[in-house]
Amino acid sequence: MNIRTVRGLGGLITGLILLVVFSVLLTRAMDTTSYNTWGALIWAPLIIGVNLWLISIAMRNEPDRWVVRLVYIGYAAKLVGIAARYFTIFVLYDGVGDASRYNLYAARWYFEWRRGVFEVSGDGKFGTHNTELITTAVYTVVGPSPIVGFLVFGTLAFWGCVLLFKAFQAAVPEGNFRRYAILVLLLPSLLFWPSSIGKEAFLLFGVGLTGLGAAKFFNRRIVAGLGYLTAGLVATSLIRPHLTVLLLSSLFVALLLRRGSGTPTSFLGKTVGLALVAAASVLAITQAADVLGIEDLTAEEVTGEIDWASGQTDTGGSAFVPVPLSSPLGLPAAIITLLFRPFPWEASSGLVALQSLEGIALLLLAIVGWRRLAQVPRLLRRNAWVVFAAVYVLAFILAFAGFANFGIVARQRSLMIPFFLALLALPDPRRPHNALTDSEERQLANA
């Protein structure tokens, strides 16, 4: 008997043993626990296995094996983040949170959907109710298991980050891919906050689709770009149409500032692109106005609605007093708050304290990498995707400047921070484009 046969026989025996152990555990779990637990024993390995397979497909053309390994590590870290989020909501907070609402709604209606009775009634707001329906659709397939629901939504958020990494690669070929991969796949707030049944996880997936669509569109892959853009903008409009408005506004500015080749074809393409984005923006603004209950699209009406929404966030132990934008210090204070706060001395809980450490780390990274950020003005006429990212970051900060709760700010920030991280991974002007250090070259050679 040769070594290959022995190894094959050993693998078969090991597989059979694992199958028997799994069957025993599953049978015992079905007798002693709810479907939330034993359903997860069935679905979690399947979902994880499918995603590992999808990662291998998505990264098959990636030449840097270090990055490929990091994506797998990022998914493993995301699974830890999903578990931590579930533990926080259902153990530490005893089920107090939006995820519980979505779970209860879906657990009530999923069986009717399986019977073909698609109940869509609800008393929640537009985005909340659509999140309830999305959760019901998930439960129709996997059953009423919050554990599995968290895994599905958290995995969507992970793919949003992967899509943004692919967008950065396509849009900024001279950028520091390794730096951006580390930041966008392993940043603690991105691992934790968009990892539950809820709006942020689904929205981050939509933002990722939009970011990749913009990169492809600006690289003249028009059909693929429009496909990703449409999917991403539709996804965000289902939950937060005003976020869709921010994305479309950023696309419009990027198209407007984009340098053409000077040919009639280039001018026509830019004109058509601006017209399409403008039309989509009008639709998104109209939808957002309907959702927010704004009858008159005047500056006073919109400002009043934003002020009202911001005022609903100034409660709880993590509340703070924001500096109004009408003050000369308003914009700098909003930028610091939305990107880096809370600071350690502002932490009112352990979770906020951990968030403050990340904020300090990002602030130090921004200070050390100031040369990368200083390139943004120079790139505004050269790279439309950088314009899109920079304008979106600024627009997001202005839109959420009035929010007065660090917990809410941290959760919302996860939908913007990947684009700021992209600015932190722009090429270092002191090094040649795509140049690797000696250690990086050795690592790549040995990969």
Side-chain angles (χ1 to χ4, degrees), residues 74-96:
Y75 186 54
K78 187 63 175 179
L79 294 177
V80 175
I82 293 169
R85 192 84 170 99
Y86 180 88
F87 179 82
T88 300
I89 293 177
F90 283 100
V91 178
L92 293 183
Y93 293 164
D94 197 24
V96 177

Side-chain angles (χ1 to χ4, degrees), residues 21-42:
V21 171
F22 176 78
S23 300
V24 171
L25 290 175
L26 179 61
T27 303
R28 182 173 178 79
M30 293 175 71
D31 291 336
T32 59
T33 64
S34 67
Y35 180 79
N36 182 34
T37 302
W38 67 261
L41 288 176
I42 297 174

Side-chain angles (χ1 to χ4, degrees), residues 388-438:
F388 167 67
V391 172
Y392 176 70
V393 169
L394 181 59
F396 191 98
I397 289 172
L398 293 174
F400 289 87
F403 278 48
N405 185 288
F406 286 130
I408 296 176
V409 167
R411 204 166 68 240
Q412 304 304 317
R413 174 163 56 200
S414 64
L415 303 174
M416 172 271 292
I417 205 68
F419 291 97
F420 177 67
L421 300 178
L423 301 181
L424 293 178
L426 291 174
D428 189 334
R430 297 171 299 177
R431 295 175 60 186
H433 290 172
N434 288 322
L436 299 175
T437 64
D438 291 340

